Amino acid sequence: MFKQVYDPVSNSLGWSTLFAVLPLVTLFVLLGGFKVKAHVAALAALVVSMLVALVVYSMPIGQTLDSAAEGAVFGLFPIMWIVVNAIWIYNMTVDSGHFAVLRRSFGRLSDDQRVQAVLIAFCFGALMEALAGFGTPVAISAVMLIGLGFKPIKAAAVALVANTAPVAFGAIAVPITTLSEVSGLPQDNLGSMVGRQTPFLALIVPLILVGMVDGRRGIRQAWPAALVGGVAFAVAQFVCSNYISVELTDIVASLVSAGAIVLLLRVWQPSETLRVEARPATGRPAIAGGSETLDPNFAAAADRRAETPDSGGDVLKAYAPYLVIIAVFALAQISWLPFKDFLDARTKEFDWPGLHVVNSAGEAPTSLTFKFNWASSAGTLLLLSGLITMPILRITPARAVRAWVRTVVQLRWAILTVASVLAIAYVMNLSGQTITIGQWLAGAGGFFAFLSPILGWFGVAVTGSDTSSNSLFGALQVAAAHKADLSPTLMAASNSSGGVLGKMISPQNLAIGAAAVGMAGGEGDIFRKVIAWSIGLLLILAVLVYLQSTDVLGWMVP
């Protein structure tokens, strides 16, 4: 039995924290400073985390290896199981030619890249986040942007920054559900509080997107689309999370936002249209093959005029995979239908072999139990959605199998990166390194309200998952809140809200974004494109949370 000690270095949290952060420093320095490939940086950081666990925290070597193994398996299932099947569905739409129809459908709404960025990366990406999460919206929206002519690095960066406001309610609000379980606080209260924080991000992010695409000119000319989309999303997210359903929050917000922009485009268009930069000459985005060349002389507007208009049936088939996904996930998540209970009953839970760890209070961490929810997993539901989609798109079983295998091959380095990052998270968590860092931050007293979202940001930056960050720090946030005489609901919710801003810089999502646009190995370049936005938005949110902990905005806390 290994008992966690959080101050192993001279009984000091400060000195212990200096060692506990070494894996993270290694990861981010290699990734951002030395431009090392993400999977290499993650493997190096994993070695460092294991050495710190062994040498500093005195964790037995067997337990250290077992914790790394459990984390790696969790990275494969459910996380990469979700991503592989989501991109498999996308690849089938490409193979059948229906992705081009979908691309043209979005393109006909507006020729302007700045508007397309908001519609696809922000609105459509939020819908994908609502249904699947775990990197799926980054992959899907990035390749759709490439299909509309965005350069690969810009497509990946825009998709990553856009994947912020909806994350806390992603995957049918799994992060909120998990936070409620680990913190012991009511789910509705937590959802309401998050719904009074992330809408402020929704107001800002669309403006950032048009700025990323076209600088100050983009903001000056396309701000109406960004403002309408952001306001509609923010209002719908607040109303749904507080008064309707936490689980349906992102679905409602994304559809309302997209609808508002479509209505706006009927009466308004930018004064100047920003045309596409380039488009794959083959019409196939980079993820489908990874080596297609771009035709810089391609004129998108002329191309659209020359194209024969797609029939209503073709457009319906192009949207069919996503309509099927919505239907399957909705049926699987509605509690009063029999499907949810049936799928949940297939779940198997077991203690990970060889792991015998207790925290300082003598209790076993919840992460020792592995939940194999093979039937109800979002990845399995996506697989089912793909099987239903096959006959609609007229994809033969043999062709579908080849597309699935090709998807795995394309994502091989992303799979290794994700498995390595989750292995780091589990080693740090079970050895006590993560709690050391968290407790050191919690010693800030009332100022902890400012640091609370930063802790959530840190957790997602490491694990790539708001759900995982809430699992790591949810209970810690509540304990720190009681210690500092702060609202437990506010602090726990801030962990999830702050976490959404770590999503864009997590190695897991950087690897997914890079793989999706055919830039495997270019994660460092994308990282440098988004890090400033991540930190800037985090500081804004931290100030908001701090004010919510005082009399200034304390009335916002339920």
Side-chain angles (χ1 to χ4, degrees):
M1 183 66 67
F2 170 70
K3 185 174 183 179
Q4 295 174 340
V5 177
Y6 308 135
D7 55 355
V9 181
S10 302
N11 296 321
S12 167
L13 274 178
W15 285 110
S16 300
T17 299
L18 290 178
F19 287 91
V21 299
L22 287 178
L24 305 177
V25 172
T26 301
L27 183 63
F28 290 120
V29 168
L30 289 178
L31 189 64
F34 292 94
K35 302 182 181 180
V36 174
K37 292 182 178 180
H39 64 277
V40 176
L43 288 171
L46 175 58
V47 171
V48 173
S49 70
M50 295 174 71
L51 288 174
V52 172
L54 290 167
V55 177
V56 179
Y57 286 79
S58 302
M59 191 179 197
I61 187 169
Q63 306 254 31
T64 303
L65 293 172
D66 286 334
S67 60
E70 184 184 7
V73 170
F74 183 76
L76 299 176
F77 182 94
I79 294 177
M80 289 310 298
W81 176 239
I82 295 170
V83 175
V84 166
N85 286 318
I87 297 182
W88 169 60
I89 294 174
Y90 157 76
N91 274 339
M92 287 196 295
T93 67
V94 172
D95 289 345
S96 66
H98 288 90
F99 180 83
V101 178
L102 184 67
R103 171 181 56 79
R104 290 193 293 269
S105 175
F106 274 103
R108 288 191 184 98
L109 293 174
S110 175
D111 287 345
D112 193 280
Q113 275 198 324
R114 299 160 298 192
V115 177
Q116 291 168 351
V118 178
L119 270 172
I120 295 174
F122 185 71
C123 300
F124 188 72
L127 180 60
M128 291 296 98
E129 180 67 37
L131 298 174
F134 295 103
T136 304
V138 172
I140 297 296
S141 58
V143 294
M144 290 186 72
L145 291 174
I146 284 187
L148 285 167
F150 282 67
K151 291 180 179 178
I153 190 169
K154 182 175 288 186
V158 166
L160 284 164
V161 173
N163 190 220
T164 50
V167 168
F169 297 98
I172 319 296
V174 166
I176 303 296
T177 302
T178 302
L179 183 61
S180 176
E181 291 177 356
V182 300
S183 67
L185 299 173
Q187 175 179 313
D188 290 341
N189 286 357
L190 291 171
S192 296
M193 189 66 248
V194 173
R196 302 175 190 194
Q197 294 172 335
T198 55
F200 288 95
L201 301 177
L203 294 173
I204 302 172
V205 168
L207 290 169
I208 292 176
L209 298 182
V210 298
M212 292 177 69
V213 173
D214 194 32
R216 293 182 179 178
R217 184 183 65 173
I219 297 175
R220 186 174 63 252
Q221 295 182 354
W223 67 264
L227 183 63
V228 167
V231 170
F233 190 97
V235 171
Q237 191 178 59
F238 166 75
V239 172
C240 193
S241 62
N242 278 267
Y243 303 110
I244 301 176
S245 168
V246 173
E247 290 85 357
L248 297 178
T249 295
D250 276 351
I251 295 177
V252 172
S254 60
L255 295 177
V256 169
S257 180
I261 294 176
V262 170
L263 291 176
L264 172 69
L265 293 174
R266 292 179 177 272
V267 298
W268 169 89
Q269 290 289 339
S271 57
E272 297 178 24
T273 300
L274 181 67
R275 307 294 183 185
V276 298
E277 297 165 330
R279 195 184 88 179
T282 61
R284 177 192 293 270
I287 188 175
S291 60
E292 288 83 355
T293 57
L294 297 177
D295 178 8
N297 299 317
F298 181 82
D303 176 77
R304 291 194 191 94
R305 287 193 297 269
E307 288 172 347
T308 302
D310 299 306
S311 67
D314 288 336
V315 174
L316 182 59
K317 286 182 180 180
Y319 282 92
Y322 304 102
L323 297 175
V324 169
I325 291 172
I326 293 172
V328 168
F329 274 80
L331 291 173
Q333 295 295 331
I334 297 175
S335 57
W336 49 268
L337 291 177
F339 305 110
K340 180 175 175 59
D341 290 339
F342 175 81
L343 295 175
D344 288 341
R346 311 277 83 77
T347 297
K348 305 294 182 183
E349 294 187 7
F350 58 90
D351 292 335
W352 192 263
L355 273 179
H356 307 286
V357 180
V358 294
N359 59 26
S360 59
E363 300 172 349
T366 57
S367 55
L368 296 181
T369 301
F370 190 86
K371 185 177 181 180
F372 185 52
N373 56 334
W374 64 272
S376 60
S377 165
T380 303
L381 296 179
L382 285 168
L383 177 63
L384 176 61
S385 301
L387 295 175
I388 297 173
T389 297
M390 284 168 50
I392 298 175
L393 300 182
R394 296 183 180 179
I395 299 288
T396 64
R399 195 175 174 190
V401 170
R402 287 195 297 270
W404 196 90
V405 172
R406 188 177 72 243
T407 302
V408 173
V409 173
Q410 290 165 352
L411 294 176
R412 61 190 182 278
W413 299 122
I415 291 171
L416 177 58
T417 299
V418 170
S420 300
V421 169
L422 267 296
I424 295 169
Y426 270 67
V427 170
M428 292 183 65
N429 182 32
L430 292 177
S431 66
Q433 297 173 55
T434 301
I435 305 300
T436 294
I437 299 169
Q439 287 194 352
W440 179 73
L441 289 173
F447 188 65
F448 180 72
F450 182 88
L451 300 176
S452 175
I454 298 177
L455 189 58
W457 174 86
F458 158 76
V460 176
V462 175
T463 67
S465 164
D466 202 39
T467 300
S468 298
S469 178
N470 288 345
S471 298
L472 291 173
F473 297 132
L476 173 62
Q477 294 273 12
V478 172
H482 286 301
K483 181 178 178 181
D485 195 25
L486 297 168
S487 166
T489 298
L490 174 61
M491 295 300 97
S494 300
N495 191 85
S496 194
S497 298
V500 308
L501 299 171
K503 193 89 168 178
M504 68 181 80
I505 63 165
S506 72
Q508 169 188 318
N509 285 280
L510 288 170
I512 291 170
V517 300
M519 287 184 60
E523 293 86 357
D525 294 331
I526 301 173
F527 174 81
R528 285 184 288 276
K529 286 280 187 180
V530 301
I531 180 62
W533 296 117
S534 178
I535 294 175
L537 288 171
L538 177 63
L539 292 176
I540 293 173
L541 183 64
V543 171
L544 172 65
V545 172
Y546 179 76
L547 293 176
Q548 288 176 332
S549 72
T550 68
D551 293 337
V552 177
L553 294 179
W555 51 270
M556 297 181 67
V557 180

